Amino acid sequence: MNWLRRFMYGRYGGDPLGLVLCALGLLLALLSALFGSLILRLCSMAAYVYCLFRMLSRNTYRRQRENQWFFHKITPLIRWGKLGKKQFEDRKNYRYFTCPHCGQHVRVPRGKGKIRIICPKCKQEFIKKS
Ligand SMILES: [Zn+2]
């Protein structure tokens, strides 16, 4: 194990982007096996090679920047997924609206008829049926 530690010293190693690349490579490999597509197989291999390149890279600053870029792109998707899950769980008791002025999501009780909503972020009013 000591040789591996020596070999990896100063190298970037694994991160969430590497994990996603590896999962993408596996998914593409499965799809290529299913459809017999050479292009999918090449894309799968490219994902694996890039993942391996990132793990063994000594340019840690660049790899960290790539990982930050990845998180910057994926965060709205994660936030959207969490909001959708919460909206689904609350669907019997609450309705969700988006403020037409600032885009803030507002939760209001369901079944109260036509209501005047004051946005908690920008304090603008809008009327919706809950
Ligand atoms: Zn607002």
Side-chain angles (χ1 to χ4, degrees):
M1 257 354 241
N2 224 4
W3 66 269
L4 184 62
R5 190 172 293 145
R6 261 200 317 273
F7 177 73
M8 289 304 288
Y9 182 78
R11 296 181 192 270
Y12 186 62
D15 67 353
L17 175 57
L19 200 64
V20 167
L21 281 170
C22 203
L24 183 72
L26 182 66
L27 180 73
L28 289 173
L30 288 173
L31 287 175
S32 78
L34 199 65
F35 298 115
S37 167
L38 181 65
I39 293 169
L40 285 177
R41 189 182 195 110
L42 288 174
C43 289
S44 163
M45 288 170 73
Y48 278 129
V49 167
Y50 186 52
C51 179
L52 202 63
F53 162 76
R54 291 188 77 253
M55 283 175 73
L56 300 178
S57 171
R58 289 185 188 276
N59 190 351
T60 54
Y61 175 73
R62 188 86 187 261
R63 302 293 86 84
Q64 284 171 349
R65 292 286 304 226
E66 288 167 359
N67 197 42
Q68 281 176 351
W69 174 87
F70 171 69
F71 269 107
H72 182 74
K73 295 293 177 194
I74 201 90
T75 299
L77 272 178
I78 292 170
R79 199 173 287 151
W80 178 76
K82 281 182 180 173
L83 182 69
K85 185 181 171 216
K86 184 156 179 53
Q87 282 183 5
F88 184 75
E89 287 169 355
D90 292 349
R91 71 188 180 282
K92 285 184 179 166
N93 300 324
Y94 297 99
R95 283 199 70 182
Y96 284 80
F97 295 107
T98 304
C99 173
H101 306 284
C102 69
Q104 172 73 35
H105 295 283
V106 184
R107 187 180 77 164
V108 296
R110 188 178 276 278
K112 301 287 180 192
K114 210 172 196 180
I115 56 170
R116 185 172 55 110
I117 301 167
I118 300 171
C119 173
K121 190 176 175 186
C122 68
K123 311 295 181 206
Q124 294 284 327
E125 288 183 14
F126 57 101
I127 294 172
K128 291 281 181 182
K129 189 173 173 235
S130 69

